[in-house]
Amino acid sequence: MLRSFKLKMALLSVVTSGLILAAFAFFFLSVIRQAGMERIDRELQAIGNDQVRGPRPHSHWASFDDSLASIYGEEKRSRFLVKVNDRDHRSIYVSPHWPAEIGATDLGIPETEGPSEEPDFEPPRFERTSTGEPPPPPPLHLKAARFLTMVADGHTWRFVVMGNEHNTLILGMDLADFHMEFRRFPNTFAVAVPVALLLLTAGGWLLAGQAIRPVKVLTQVAGGITARGLDQRVRTAGADHEFQALIDVINGMLDRLEKSFQQATRFSADAAHELKTPLTILQGELQRALLNAPAESREQRTYADLLEEVQRLKVIVWKLLLLAQADSGQMRLSLERVNLSAEIDGLCEDAQQLAAGLRLKKDIAPGVFVMADWDFLRQAFQNLASNAIKYNRDNGTVEFRFGKQDQRAVFTISNSTNPEARIDPERLFERFYRGDKSRSRQKVDGAGLGLSLAREIARAHQGDLVLHELREDFISFVLTLPAAG
């Protein structure tokens, strides 16, 4: 699963999206926090500006502190801090709940010990103008506002330091409400981001599936290519541009493979066909020479050995011709209803005559019919029985079992084997492979075509032949065919 390209693409999209979401969340929270602090700074500066535009009497600042409670609510009284110094940096007013941890040096302002000795401010008296209104007071020089954040008594405070030529005003606001409001955004992100990642995971999985869909098409086509289906090609209509070159390469490869296979099949078929006539002539000449040779003579034995080899060659040629026909899909079957139970029972009787020194067991279910070309099918069963007898050990066993399972005729043939024989299960059905390397051809006759031919005949009948079990001293094959109703 970890080597899945689709999973890698989905995980990559999730990781990339997660990083983007995390970066966006960090940026968004930073902007929100900065905007919130700027709003508080504007609010503090707006409140403070109204107080420092002109000179104020000392008693004004206590009233100002109380007015904040009346504006924001009595429960919010402790939310604000007020401190006022005169021009000599002496304290004029300090909120009763001012934290002792916050001193003048922390605020970056000078301060002189003791209360203010400056006389209280009295509004000047001006003569009225011709309009009857008093003239405006002279403008005061305002100090630039400074903002800073401090922590005291477990609270975080935002201060503005501002003033005029007479007074310095330090106005602070508790940020507890701001933090409570700001905390909603991370909590919202903590819920929204996992949900978004789940949705992105699902979307990434679907997009990855769509992205590798052409690969699945190529896999299906490649999986359906057999010796009888080399004419299949990958459709180019509607293919994505990125996969067009790959499709062209695969289709070109299939063209070359089909041509090469057709040439090899034609060569096998033509060679087998051309060899039949000279082998038949050679067989006839050897039979005539064998009849004319003196009895028990050396010439007669030589002709008999040569005739046996020619007959073996004719069998090999015939099998090669059948395999070439099977490869090209030209094995023509004359199907008829066959009582396979009776035929296999007869095959067991024939095998009994050949299996001298072997124990033969059979379990044949009666009345199982198939639609088959018995001439071909007989060859498959004879090949299996012949191998079971030839590739056996002394005093070994051969077992035939036949029955019907789920509308399939199932034939199982098992036999003991030579423990010293080395059998490669991956190569058992290869042509010309002879698994029992411990025996010479003089003891075990054959060309290594029997199993391959038997499987091709079974497949031509819509069945199959497979290796069922292989142990050190035992081997078993199963041949299945569609049962006739």
Side-chain angles (χ1 to χ4, degrees):
M1 188 65 172
L2 293 178
R3 298 181 63 86
S4 169
F5 178 73
K6 182 178 179 181
L7 179 61
K8 289 179 181 178
M9 290 185 63
L11 290 178
L12 179 61
S13 66
V14 170
V15 171
T16 304
S17 303
L19 292 176
I20 293 174
L21 283 176
F24 172 76
F26 178 78
F27 174 76
F28 177 79
L29 292 176
S30 299
V31 171
I32 291 295
R33 182 180 180 83
Q34 183 65 28
M37 295 300 291
E38 290 177 356
R39 175 177 59 81
I40 292 174
D41 290 346
R42 287 194 300 270
E43 184 177 355
L44 289 172
Q45 190 171 13
I47 296 173
N49 279 339
D50 290 339
Q51 308 305 316
V52 298
R53 281 199 173 96
R56 303 287 184 181
H58 294 180
S59 60
H60 167 77
W61 300 111
S63 300
F64 167 64
D65 198 357
D66 292 337
S67 68
L68 293 177
S70 64
I71 294 173
Y72 292 96
E74 188 65 31
E75 69 279 0
K76 300 292 185 179
R77 174 180 291 274
S78 60
R79 178 187 174 192
F80 291 94
L81 296 175
V82 178
K83 182 179 178 64
V84 183
N85 291 348
D86 62 14
R87 70 179 69 191
D88 295 327
H89 312 300
R90 295 179 182 272
S91 177
I92 295 176
Y93 175 80
V94 180
S95 294
H97 52 279
W98 184 277
E101 301 176 21
I102 301 177
T105 55
D106 299 322
L107 297 171
I109 59 174
E111 188 171 51
T112 305
E113 294 292 335
S116 175
E117 298 177 355
E118 185 177 323
D120 199 357
F121 171 78
E122 293 184 4
R125 297 181 179 180
F126 297 97
E127 296 183 358
R128 294 183 178 274
T129 62
S130 59
T131 60
E133 297 292 334
L140 296 177
H141 175 69
L142 300 181
K143 301 176 183 178
R146 289 189 299 109
F147 299 94
L148 63 157
T149 303
M150 302 188 67
V151 178
D153 294 339
H155 294 266
T156 303
W157 300 90
R158 183 68 171 176
F159 288 99
V160 60
V161 180
M162 58 192 306
N164 53 38
E165 57 196 65
H166 297 289
N167 304 115
T168 299
L169 172 64
I170 302 98
L171 181 61
M173 178 184 290
D174 190 352
L175 296 180
D177 292 343
F178 169 73
H179 287 159
M180 184 178 300
E181 180 181 356
F182 179 77
R183 203 173 291 119
R184 292 183 304 167
F185 294 101
N187 293 339
T188 301
F189 272 102
V191 175
V193 169
V195 174
L197 287 177
L198 286 177
L199 295 176
L200 287 171
T201 301
W205 184 263
L206 294 176
L207 289 176
Q210 290 296 317
I212 65 173
R213 185 172 54 84
V215 179
K216 291 183 177 180
V217 174
L218 295 176
T219 303
Q220 291 175 354
V221 173
I225 295 174
T226 63
R228 300 179 181 86
L230 288 174
D231 57 338
Q232 296 190 50
R233 297 294 183 271
V234 182
R235 291 184 301 175
T236 58
D240 296 329
H241 175 72
E242 293 79 3
F243 288 94
Q244 187 67 53
L246 177 60
I247 292 175
D248 292 340
V249 170
I250 291 178
N251 286 339
M253 178 191 67
L254 291 175
D255 288 336
R256 295 189 297 271
L257 183 62
E258 183 182 16
K259 291 178 181 178
S260 298
F261 184 79
Q262 288 175 349
Q263 291 174 354
T265 302
R266 283 197 301 268
F267 173 79
S268 298
D270 293 344
H273 182 75
E274 292 299 325
L275 286 173
K276 286 172 60 177
T277 300
L279 285 176
T280 301
I281 295 174
L282 183 58
Q283 179 181 3
E285 293 296 330
L286 287 173
Q287 287 175 340
R288 186 179 303 107
L290 181 62
L291 291 175
N292 295 330
E296 302 296 332
S297 65
R298 179 179 179 184
E299 290 82 358
Q300 188 180 53
R301 290 194 297 271
T302 300
Y303 291 146
D305 292 340
L306 291 174
L307 183 61
E308 182 179 350
E309 291 297 325
V310 169
Q311 290 173 342
R312 196 176 78 86
L313 282 174
K314 287 188 65 177
V315 172
I316 293 174
V317 168
W318 179 75
K319 289 181 178 180
L320 285 174
L321 183 60
L322 287 183
L323 288 171
Q325 292 175 350
D327 290 340
S328 61
Q330 297 178 355
M331 184 179 286
R332 297 179 178 83
L333 304 179
S334 299
L335 300 181
E336 59 182 350
R337 185 178 174 86
V338 177
N339 185 346
L340 199 53
S341 297
E343 298 294 349
I344 292 178
D345 191 60
L347 177 68
C348 293
E349 298 296 331
D350 296 338
Q352 184 67 60
Q353 303 299 322
L354 301 174
L358 300 178
R359 296 187 303 274
L360 207 68
K361 301 178 182 179
K362 65 177 182 178
D363 181 11
I364 310 298
V368 179
F369 289 82
V370 296
M371 296 298 296
D373 187 323
W374 179 239
D375 290 336
F376 283 110
L377 204 56
R378 180 192 294 111
Q379 183 65 50
F381 284 110
Q382 286 178 347
N383 288 350
L384 291 174
S386 175
N387 283 349
I389 294 172
K390 290 188 296 184
Y391 294 94
N392 214 311
R393 66 170 184 267
D394 295 337
N395 300 317
T397 60
V398 178
E399 183 177 355
F400 296 87
R401 285 185 288 124
F402 179 67
K404 185 177 180 182
Q405 298 177 8
D406 300 328
Q407 303 302 314
R408 306 285 291 181
V410 181
F411 172 71
T412 304
I413 182 169
S414 309
N415 62 274
S416 52
T417 60
N418 184 354
E420 298 178 0
R422 297 179 181 179
I423 301 175
D424 186 354
E426 301 295 329
R427 301 187 60 197
L428 267 177
F429 291 97
E430 288 184 9
R431 295 170 189 182
F432 299 106
Y433 173 73
R434 301 174 71 239
D436 197 342
K437 299 297 178 80
S438 65
R439 299 170 184 250
S440 64
R441 192 174 64 81
Q442 283 75 16
K443 188 171 184 180
V444 179
D445 194 14
L449 296 172
L451 283 178
S452 179
L453 180 59
R455 185 172 65 173
E456 294 298 336
I457 292 174
R459 289 178 175 178
H461 286 81
Q462 307 304 313
D464 203 2
L465 173 64
V466 296
L467 174 65
H468 179 250
E469 186 177 0
L470 175 62
R471 298 198 302 266
E472 182 181 356
D473 59 349
F474 178 85
I475 192 168
S476 176
F477 293 91
V478 174
L479 188 151
T480 57
L481 297 168

